[in-house]
Amino acid sequence: ANPAFSTLSGYEMPEVIGETPGGLLKSGAHPPAFFQTMWKMILAGETWHGEIVNCKKDGSIYHEEMTINPVKNEKGEITHFIAVKQDISERKLREREFETIASMSEALRSSSGRADMLPILSEKLQQIVQADGSLVVLRGKTPGEKGLFAVSGIFKPDQPDDLPPGMEMTRRVMETGKPIITGDANEDANRWMDLLGAASSAVSVPLQV
């Protein structure tokens, strides 16, 4: 391994030498057949090239484009493999954003106004980002007033006017106009008490017009 690998993965050199790439980087995003195909090719002496989703030391996911070349000795036996990697996470994010916009635009073609649009956006957003729930809250005409407009997934209430967990976070976003992200609601228990029990992590984003 080299310093570039440490920068990419978050592991220092002493941590990786002697370990297996799968043990360090496996994200769980690929089925066993994916790796079986890869190993079948490189063990046959062929070059493998493709995209793979790996996991950094801190648990974050990243996409990389990788080429693996077998290295043979004078007898023609494979002794090593050289992997050349490039982080393409930013490119994949841009592709995902484009697909998101296109998907939502397609879904909204049949809507006639806001009453139709926001429920579609809520459900579509939940599907695209693979979230457990999504909700849209509108600011009321008077200060501090807000109402639930569209919900999907775990936030779906029994009654249309119920306000689900997470409203404290929504109130703060409306007041500041800035997004809030919590990766672990248990660590933020003192700030977002009403979020616990509904979700372990959440993002709340202002929609400004």
Side-chain angles (χ1 to χ4, degrees):
N2 60 11
F5 177 79
S6 294
T7 301
L8 181 64
S9 66
Y11 288 99
E12 297 298 329
M13 212 67 66
E15 297 178 283
V16 304
I17 301 302
E19 301 293 333
T20 62
L24 290 172
L25 307 176
K26 191 172 183 180
S27 65
H30 302 283
F34 175 87
F35 297 101
Q36 292 170 2
T37 300
M38 175 194 295
W39 279 104
K40 184 177 180 180
M41 288 186 65
I42 60 178
L43 288 174
E46 301 177 27
T47 296
W48 182 89
H49 179 79
E51 296 180 4
I52 188 169
V53 180
N54 278 333
C55 184
K56 296 185 179 184
K57 181 181 178 180
D58 63 6
S60 60
I61 298 297
Y62 67 100
H63 296 254
E64 65 178 14
E65 193 171 56
M66 181 165 61
T67 299
I68 304 178
N69 289 296
V71 179
K72 301 179 181 180
N73 60 18
E74 62 276 4
K75 298 180 182 179
E77 301 168 333
I78 298 175
T79 58
H80 297 76
F81 299 98
I82 295 180
V84 179
K85 303 160 170 280
Q86 181 180 9
D87 190 344
I88 59 171
S89 299
E90 189 68 22
R91 188 182 81 192
K92 300 300 289 187
L93 178 61
R94 297 286 85 78
E95 292 175 357
R96 184 81 174 271
E97 289 178 350
F98 178 81
E99 292 170 358
T100 298
I101 294 172
S103 179
M104 285 191 170
S105 297
E106 179 68 25
L108 290 172
R109 285 181 182 177
S110 60
S111 63
S112 59
R114 189 173 69 180
D116 293 332
M117 292 173 63
L118 293 183
I120 292 175
L121 288 175
S122 179
E123 292 183 9
K124 201 67 181 176
L125 180 62
Q126 181 194 344
Q127 296 171 7
I128 291 171
V129 303
Q130 299 179 350
D132 292 317
S134 172
L135 56 88
V136 178
V137 180
L138 296 184
R139 183 193 298 273
K141 294 182 179 180
T142 60
E145 180 187 359
K146 55 187 179 295
L148 189 64
F149 194 92
V151 290
S152 60
I154 61 172
F155 291 123
K156 200 155 191 176
D158 295 328
Q159 301 296 329
D161 57 351
D162 283 349
L163 295 180
M167 292 306 300
E168 171 63 22
M169 177 181 286
T170 303
R171 182 186 65 79
R172 183 67 60 85
V173 169
M174 284 188 173
E175 290 176 350
T176 64
K178 298 179 180 180
I180 294 177
I181 300 174
T182 169
D184 187 345
N186 292 305
E187 292 184 0
D188 293 336
N190 292 330
R191 297 173 60 203
W192 316 122
M193 284 297 294
D194 56 355
L195 187 66
L196 300 178
S200 60
S201 60
V203 56
S204 186
V205 181
L207 301 178
Q208 299 173 331
V209 296

